[in-house]
Amino acid sequence: MIIKLYKDATPRIGVVYPSEYQAGKAYEQITQLHTGEIFHASIELIRGLITLTLKSVTGSGKIVYKDLEFKTEQLKRLQAFCKPDTKMDFIHVFKKGDGYFIPKVRFKAPELLKLNGYEIVY
């Protein structure tokens, strides 16, 4: 899992995939099933890994990602700079070189899923 905080843009939470193809294919399925829905993120720390659960607040959708690696510093910054009701975006990403990139879905940039807040469960 990766967390990106920006001064003049919406913060983002991303799940890292090993390839552009895998990230794009999985994200395409989610966007098809949950078009227009808004989610709440629950970040649960379990034995040094994260279980990320996205629960729809405008529908009945629920998406769970288990055993995600994360950087402690990113989680601490999220808590320090973002209130629990901060609006954020959610996306799948893949690593290429030194950077993380959003995969294309059907040859174009995908619409980002909207989060209306988060909670951290220890």
Side-chain angles (χ1 to χ4, degrees):
M1 185 173 90
I2 187 166
I3 300 168
K4 289 287 192 178
L5 304 177
Y6 304 98
K7 282 185 179 182
D8 299 329
T10 305
R12 291 183 178 172
I13 294 178
V15 172
V16 181
Y17 278 78
S19 73
E20 181 176 11
Y21 175 78
Q22 289 171 317
K25 193 70 173 163
Y27 199 73
E28 179 181 12
Q29 291 172 351
I30 289 171
T31 56
Q32 286 177 345
L33 289 173
H34 304 290
T35 301
E37 290 186 48
I38 298 172
F39 292 85
H40 181 80
S42 178
I43 302 167
E44 186 175 2
L45 297 164
I46 302 172
R47 294 182 297 279
L49 297 172
I50 283 181
T51 295
L52 176 65
T53 304
L54 305 178
K55 293 180 187 171
S56 178
V57 295
T58 58
S60 60
K62 181 177 178 181
I63 306 163
V64 179
Y65 299 89
K66 293 184 177 187
D67 299 329
L68 300 176
E69 295 179 358
F70 70 102
K71 293 183 180 177
T72 306
E73 311 84 53
Q74 289 182 352
L75 203 55
K76 287 180 181 177
R77 279 198 304 254
L78 176 68
Q79 288 180 292
F81 297 109
C82 296
K83 296 177 184 175
D85 62 349
T86 299
K87 306 277 188 257
M88 294 184 276
D89 292 326
F90 174 80
I91 191 68
H92 289 177
V93 298
F94 66 99
K95 188 168 183 159
K96 185 175 180 181
D98 290 340
Y100 292 93
F101 298 90
I102 297 172
K104 300 271 188 221
V105 174
R106 295 187 188 166
F107 304 104
K108 56 185 179 179
E111 182 178 326
L112 305 179
L113 288 182
K114 302 299 180 192
L115 303 176
N116 76 342
Y118 73 94
E119 65 180 341
I120 297 177
V121 181
Y122 293 96

